[in-house]
Amino acid sequence: MSAPVYLFTGPEFGERNAQVDSVKKALKKKYGSSDDFLFYASDVKISDIVTQLRTDSLFIPATCIVLRQAELIKKKEDIEMIGEWVASVTPDKKNGTPKDSSVLILVSDENSVDSKLEKLVPKENKKLFFEMFEDKKEEWLQSFFRKNGLSITGEAVDLILDMVENNTEAMRSECSRFFVCFPKGHSVTAQDVEQILAHNREESAFTLFDSMTDSSVEPNRRFENSLLILQKILLSKGSNSVMLLAGLTSCFRRLSTWHTVHFENPYPDDFVLRTNGFAGKLVRAQYSKAARIWNFAQVTSILALLSETDMLIRSTGNNLQTTYLYLLLYEIIIKKGVSCSKYETDF
């Protein structure tokens, strides 16, 4: 038995989130019920997380905390606090089997976190979820449709992989529409994919990023197109600016990784790209285009702007969120990461 702390990293959101759910289910099965919490490292104190892990509930026998953005945990005192809690719940000959009803799950879209933090997690409780290889994505899609009573042509599979963010969570969400639109036994064709996905596609942080990286048009046109997508997102049911910013931040962090990989080797091989989360042809083409628009220094500035906008919206509420988000897109697309210090007449 190991300490109840887990670390799940990598860009394959679907399998990673399924693993998080598996840990939660195991905890509920053992204790009957649990208090589940989700926090982001950017807006919570680690001391509060540890306090909550150490505090027993009067009514609920177990606690599960999922802490996202674990790559941001770098302060020595924060890592030491987590380390002290881990030590207190680690089984040994002297202490026997300590209480394991409080569980901490560290999650990151990045491939790794601070090495000192990673060392606190037992080997068997760590897993890196790489983006699937292209052939595995094809197999996954074929299987997903088959399990839901439909078949799908190879041409339709290729089109889906070109249109949908390449992780199983996004593919599951987008492809679930087909099971509502077609009867059991139907064979999904490329024409069906065009009809269901292209004409009824929901906008998200990832489609917004795709528009922002469209180097086939001038920056002003990219800005206009991106504003239209942003407006659709904000008008959609259940829109959440915090999640939108988190999605964009994830995209620009991946772009930062792309620059780092190519700085070390201008022509990285297939294995290097795959291990850094760039498995598919579509995602490689997208980040190659993005890298020609924003250099490494500009990406660093953009990440700072995203963080600043996130804090502004959290502190001021939703009244000004649209203004802040419009300004953010202007600073990213037109000014390439330079903050607007004064009113600009061409805005």
Side-chain angles (χ1 to χ4, degrees):
M1 181 180 176
S2 56
V5 56
Y6 299 82
L7 175 62
F8 301 136
T9 58
E12 210 325 284
F13 305 150
E15 291 190 353
R16 191 191 68 198
N17 292 344
Q19 190 67 50
V20 170
D21 290 339
S22 177
V23 174
K24 289 181 179 180
K25 289 176 182 176
L27 186 65
K28 285 182 172 66
K29 183 177 180 180
K30 183 171 183 178
Y31 287 96
S33 63
S34 70
D35 261 339
D36 294 341
F37 300 93
L38 172 62
F39 297 107
Y40 290 82
S42 60
D43 57 23
V44 68
K45 293 180 180 178
I46 297 301
S47 58
D48 292 339
I49 295 291
V50 173
T51 298
Q52 193 155 10
L53 288 167
R54 293 183 181 276
T55 303
D56 292 330
S57 170
L58 293 174
F59 307 104
I60 308 297
T63 298
C64 181
I65 293 179
V66 176
L67 182 56
R68 293 185 178 273
Q69 300 176 325
E71 72 279 357
L72 299 181
I73 305 173
K74 298 178 181 294
K75 292 182 180 178
K76 181 181 178 182
E77 57 268 31
D78 288 342
I79 296 175
E80 286 179 347
M81 274 189 282
I82 294 174
E84 289 171 4
W85 173 76
V86 171
S88 71
V89 293
T90 299
D92 58 33
K93 293 180 180 179
K94 181 179 179 181
N95 297 329
T97 304
K99 179 171 67 79
D100 64 349
S101 58
S102 293
V103 171
L104 174 62
I105 306 175
L106 301 167
V107 178
S108 174
D109 294 346
E110 306 297 321
N111 287 346
S112 61
V113 298
D114 189 283
S115 59
K116 294 183 179 65
L117 179 64
E118 187 170 345
K119 287 178 182 177
L120 300 178
V121 183
K123 182 179 180 181
E124 62 272 22
N125 290 354
K126 290 186 285 192
K127 189 168 183 180
L128 170 57
F129 293 88
F130 287 120
E131 186 175 292
M132 286 185 182
F133 290 170
E134 288 299 308
D135 58 338
K136 292 296 181 183
K137 292 175 188 173
E138 293 171 7
E139 290 178 14
W140 188 93
L141 278 171
Q142 294 277 4
S143 175
F144 185 57
F145 276 86
R146 187 168 55 251
K147 288 176 182 177
N148 286 277
L150 302 182
S151 60
I152 183 170
T153 66
E155 187 180 9
V157 168
D158 291 340
L159 190 55
I160 289 173
L161 292 177
D162 278 342
M163 295 176 66
V164 178
E165 179 74 10
N166 281 333
N167 64 76
T168 54
E169 183 176 77
M171 289 192 288
R172 181 181 289 107
S173 174
E174 293 288 341
C175 293
S176 293
R177 302 184 195 183
F178 292 95
F179 312 137
V180 177
C181 297
F182 298 107
K184 299 282 186 181
H186 179 79
S187 178
V188 176
T189 64
Q191 289 73 23
D192 294 332
V193 174
E194 285 282 355
Q195 179 184 356
I196 300 301
L197 295 188
H199 297 163
N200 301 284
R201 192 177 185 187
E202 290 184 6
E203 303 293 0
S204 67
F206 302 106
T207 61
L208 177 57
F209 181 72
D210 192 44
S211 176
M212 294 164 70
T213 60
D214 184 6
S215 56
S216 67
V217 297
E218 294 299 315
N220 284 339
R221 175 61 64 182
R222 274 193 287 123
F223 178 54
E224 292 172 9
N225 294 341
S226 298
L227 280 181
L228 290 174
I229 292 175
L230 175 60
Q231 288 168 356
K232 290 180 182 178
I233 293 172
L234 295 177
L235 291 172
S236 65
K237 184 178 179 181
S239 67
N240 185 319
S241 60
V242 173
M243 293 304 296
L244 173 64
L245 289 169
L248 285 177
T249 299
S250 173
C251 292
F252 278 99
R253 282 194 183 128
R254 291 185 76 186
L255 180 54
S256 177
T257 300
W258 177 274
H259 276 299
T260 300
V261 168
H262 285 78
F263 177 78
E264 295 170 352
N265 179 0
Y267 304 101
D269 59 28
D270 182 70
F271 176 77
V272 170
L273 288 172
R274 288 180 182 275
T275 54
N276 281 279
F278 305 101
K281 293 179 181 178
L282 184 65
V283 73
R284 292 179 187 181
Q286 181 182 42
Y287 281 91
S288 178
K289 287 191 302 180
R292 290 194 291 271
I293 296 173
W294 301 286
N295 61 34
F296 182 80
Q298 290 167 339
V299 172
T300 301
S301 297
I302 289 169
L303 287 169
L305 287 173
L306 284 160
S307 178
E308 179 183 348
T309 303
D310 181 65
M311 288 188 289
L312 280 170
I313 292 176
R314 289 175 188 269
S315 61
T316 60
N318 294 331
N319 292 335
L320 294 174
Q321 73 165 359
T322 301
T323 302
Y324 288 140
L325 290 172
Y326 282 9
L327 181 61
L328 174 68
L329 290 192
Y330 180 78
E331 291 172 330
I332 293 174
I333 298 171
I334 303 298
K335 296 179 69 67
K336 293 191 173 184
V338 177
S339 177
C340 290
S341 57
K342 61 182 179 65
Y343 181 82
E344 300 192 17
T345 57
D346 60 341
F347 183 75

